[in-house]
């Protein structure tokens, strides 16, 4: 499907699953629709399954926006508490359209929880309370993070997927990759047709220098490698270090749960010149989970002053992550909401476009890991490959079958749209706008 057709379908008010290969312009199209809605003064919630992905569209995580947080299930008490929350009330009252990006990393049960929350605040008898829901992502990219080796279920296996009955819009054009070799590699991975020729193309970048003035981003599959690189880079800076230790309070087991969900380290060491990433949303202070910057100084209270890549200077004050029960905080941790960011994991790179990258895929452990890392780059020459294993170029066989079905459904939707006269299409789009403006 072409972008223009997908935009027409979005404007018709259908629930939509927007998909296609990495670099096919999914985020660009979403931003077009967001601008259209804002131009009509229509409330749109822009969210994503990860903090990094949310920053690409100036949004927030779906976990934060919906109020479900890190929970794996919602009780009636949880829902009643959300209903009394002023910010949640205001948020839902002002929203007519909900966008969730990087949907491949959202669990099926989380999708059902979001549906339940939306029904609680909006119409209980309509899917997602009657909101227009737009899901965006590519199932060939990274799956939801498995907890305790439990089987992972994609959102297509949720009850709410069937209930919302999305129109499939599968984008076909390629905007990121600038050379045929790169496009050939990525297409072969998606179609499970990696042969000696494709492997040879990938291996041609083994330890090859990158001819670019751009400092390459370093991608690794494991946090341990990322931490080692970041600590080494920090040691190179000949400045006085300042350390910030995480404060804990409440139930010990729950504190450990919070630590796992909180990306800020227990002991954070910073120096002037350190490259850092914010790891919590604070819209009032001007940062979100994933905002990148550099420590330029420390204030009179020894708090780091971060200059973001957008040019803003922010004093990073301590933030608290907590778990509440019956309006009481039963466990919490408090820390400066930063982590070092010279190197990042492949998971955190999803959604980014890079001009140059050094990557080590020798410890790939998950379907789609190599595909995500390689597809971040515009060209093959922008890669320095440090290592690779067989898993790196594999994709989930079940997703291959699902992808074929999604392509077929998207083609059918394109044909349906073609049958609509221009007058009829505009009429239906105006009807949808009128309905949600009056909602």
């Amino acid at each position: 499907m072409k972008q223009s057709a997908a935009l027409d379908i979005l404007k018709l008010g259908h629930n939509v699953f927007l998909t296609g290969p990495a670099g096919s312009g999914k985020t660009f199209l979403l931003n077009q629709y967001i601008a259209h809605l804002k131009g009509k003064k229509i409330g749109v919630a822009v969210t994503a399954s990860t903090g990094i992905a949310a920053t690409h569209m100036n949004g927030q995580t779906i976990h934060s926006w919906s109020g479900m947080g890190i929970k794996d299930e919602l009780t009636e008490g949880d829902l009643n508490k959300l209903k009394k929350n002023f910010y949640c009330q205001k948020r839902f009252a002002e929203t007519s359209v909900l966008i969730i990006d990087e949907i491949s990393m959202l669990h099926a049960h989380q999708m059902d929880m979001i549906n339940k929350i939306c029904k609680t605040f909006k119409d209980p008898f309509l899917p997602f309370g009657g909101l227009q829901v737009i899901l965006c992502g590519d199932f060939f990219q990274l799956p939801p993070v498995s907890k305790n080796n439990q089987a992972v279920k994609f959102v297509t296996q949720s009850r709410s997927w069937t209930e919302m009955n999305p129109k499939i819009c599968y984008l076909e054009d390629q905007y990121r990759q600038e050379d045929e070799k790169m496009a050939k590699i990525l297409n072969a991975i998606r179609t499970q047709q990696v042969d000696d020729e494709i492997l040879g193309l990938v291996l041609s970048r083994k330890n090859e220098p990158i001819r670019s003035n751009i400092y390459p981003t370093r991608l690794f599959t494991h946090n341990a490698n990322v931490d080692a690189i970041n600590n080494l880079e920090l040691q190179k800076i000949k400045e006085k270090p300042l350390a910030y230790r995480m404060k804990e309070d409440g139930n010990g087991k729950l504190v450990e749960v919070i630590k796992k969900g909180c990306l800020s380290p227990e002991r954070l060491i910073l120096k002037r010149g350190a490259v850092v990433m914010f790891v919590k949303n604070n819209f009032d202070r001007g940062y979100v989970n994933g905002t990148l910057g550099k420590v330029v100084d420390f204030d009179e209270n020894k708090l780091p002053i971060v200059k973001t890549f957008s040019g803003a200077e922010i004093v990073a004050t301590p933030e608290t992550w907590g778990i509440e029960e019956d309006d009481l905080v039963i466990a919490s941790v408090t820390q400066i909401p930063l982590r070092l960011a010279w190197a990042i994991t492949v998971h955190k790179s999803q959604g980014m476009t890079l001009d140059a990258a050094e990557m080590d895929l020798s410890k790939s452990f998950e379907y789609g890991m190599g595909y995500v890392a390689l597809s971040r780059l515009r060209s093959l020459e922008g890669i320095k490959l440090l290592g690779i294993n067989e898993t790196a170029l594999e994709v989930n066989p079940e997703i291959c079958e699902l992808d074929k079905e999604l392509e077929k459904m998207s083609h059918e939707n394109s044909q349906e749209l073609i049958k609509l006269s221009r007058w009829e299409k505009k009429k239906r789009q105006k009807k949808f706008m009128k309905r949600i403006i009056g909602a």
Side-chain angles (χ1 to χ4, degrees), residues 101-128:
D101 197 12
E102 297 294 4
I103 201 68
S104 74
M105 295 186 75
L106 200 69
H107 288 272
H109 72 270
Q110 290 174 321
M111 185 74 168
D112 287 333
M113 286 164 64
I114 297 161
N115 188 19
K116 189 180 289 187
I117 292 169
C118 290
K119 288 182 175 184
T120 298
F121 282 95
K122 307 290 273 188
D123 190 323
F125 302 106
L126 293 175
F128 293 89

Side-chain angles (χ1 to χ4, degrees), residues 136-372:
C136 181
D138 176 14
F139 289 117
F140 281 108
Q141 298 193 43
L142 293 170
V145 177
S146 175
K147 295 182 180 179
N148 304 318
N149 293 319
Q150 291 181 331
V152 165
K153 287 188 176 182
F154 290 94
V155 294
T156 51
Q157 297 167 281
S158 66
R159 292 187 300 275
S160 45
W161 175 272
T162 305
E163 196 177 329
M164 71 181 282
N165 189 27
K167 290 276 186 185
I168 310 301
C169 295
Y170 196 118
L171 300 183
E172 59 185 291
D173 293 326
Q174 179 54 249
Y175 296 96
R176 180 180 296 151
Q177 278 70 45
E178 295 174 344
D179 65 32
E180 290 183 10
K181 290 178 183 177
M182 198 70 196
K184 192 173 184 179
I185 291 168
L186 297 176
N187 186 58
I189 296 173
R190 287 180 73 92
T191 55
Q192 294 185 301
Q193 293 179 336
V194 175
D195 54 18
D196 289 343
E197 180 193 359
I198 298 300
L199 187 58
L201 286 173
V202 175
L203 293 177
S204 72
R205 299 306 304 167
K206 186 79 178 288
N207 294 318
E208 285 294 313
I210 299 169
R211 293 180 178 86
S212 172
N213 295 324
I214 298 166
Y215 186 80
T217 302
R218 282 175 271 187
L219 299 179
F220 293 89
T221 53
H222 287 71
N223 277 312
N225 300 98
V226 168
D227 292 341
I229 291 286
N230 285 330
N231 290 332
L232 181 64
E233 291 295 333
L234 187 69
Q235 288 173 23
K236 290 179 183 177
I237 299 176
K238 305 303 180 185
E239 292 276 349
K240 181 184 175 183
L242 285 177
Y244 306 87
R245 185 168 292 280
M246 183 179 282
K247 295 178 182 177
E248 307 171 8
D249 188 42
N251 183 294
K253 288 184 179 179
L254 292 179
V255 164
E256 291 305 313
V257 170
I258 300 169
K259 282 182 186 178
K260 288 179 182 177
C262 161
L263 294 174
S264 195
E266 290 186 53
R267 189 166 183 261
L268 174 67
I269 300 175
L270 298 175
K271 294 178 183 178
R272 190 184 288 110
V275 176
V276 292
M277 177 192 293
F278 281 93
V279 292
K280 203 174 196 296
N281 292 328
N282 191 323
F283 300 102
D284 294 334
R285 300 293 311 285
Y287 61 81
V288 294
N289 185 5
T291 297
L292 290 164
K294 183 179 283 189
V295 176
V296 292
D297 209 342
F298 298 90
D299 72 1
E300 64 275 11
N301 297 314
K302 297 185 178 181
L303 293 172
I305 301 170
V306 179
K307 186 172 185 178
T308 69
F309 286 169
S310 65
E313 288 196 1
I314 301 168
V315 177
T317 56
E319 294 266 14
T320 298
W321 292 257
I323 294 177
E324 295 182 7
E325 195 172 275
D326 298 327
D327 294 326
L328 293 174
V329 177
I330 56 175
S332 67
V333 301
T334 301
Q335 176 61 294
I336 302 292
L338 295 173
R339 68 178 296 162
L340 299 175
W342 278 280
I344 57 174
T345 60
V346 173
H347 274 89
K348 288 188 175 62
S349 77
Q350 189 156 302
M352 292 180 175
T353 298
L354 304 173
D355 291 300
E358 293 181 5
M359 60 180 72
D360 186 354
L361 303 175
S362 62
K363 297 178 183 177
S364 297
F365 58 90
E366 202 164 56
Y367 286 132
M369 198 158 254
Y371 178 77
V372 168

Side-chain angles (χ1 to χ4, degrees), residues 4-23:
S4 56
L7 187 58
D8 275 337
I9 289 173
L10 289 169
K11 289 179 179 179
L12 285 166
H14 297 292
N15 291 330
V16 167
F17 173 44
L18 181 63
T19 190

Side-chain angles (χ1 to χ4, degrees), residues 31-50:
N31 282 326
Q32 277 188 296
Y33 189 51
I34 291 164
H36 168 74
L37 293 170
K38 288 183 176 178
K40 302 281 187 182
K41 308 293 186 197
I42 292 166
V44 53
V46 182
T47 76
S49 63
T50 69

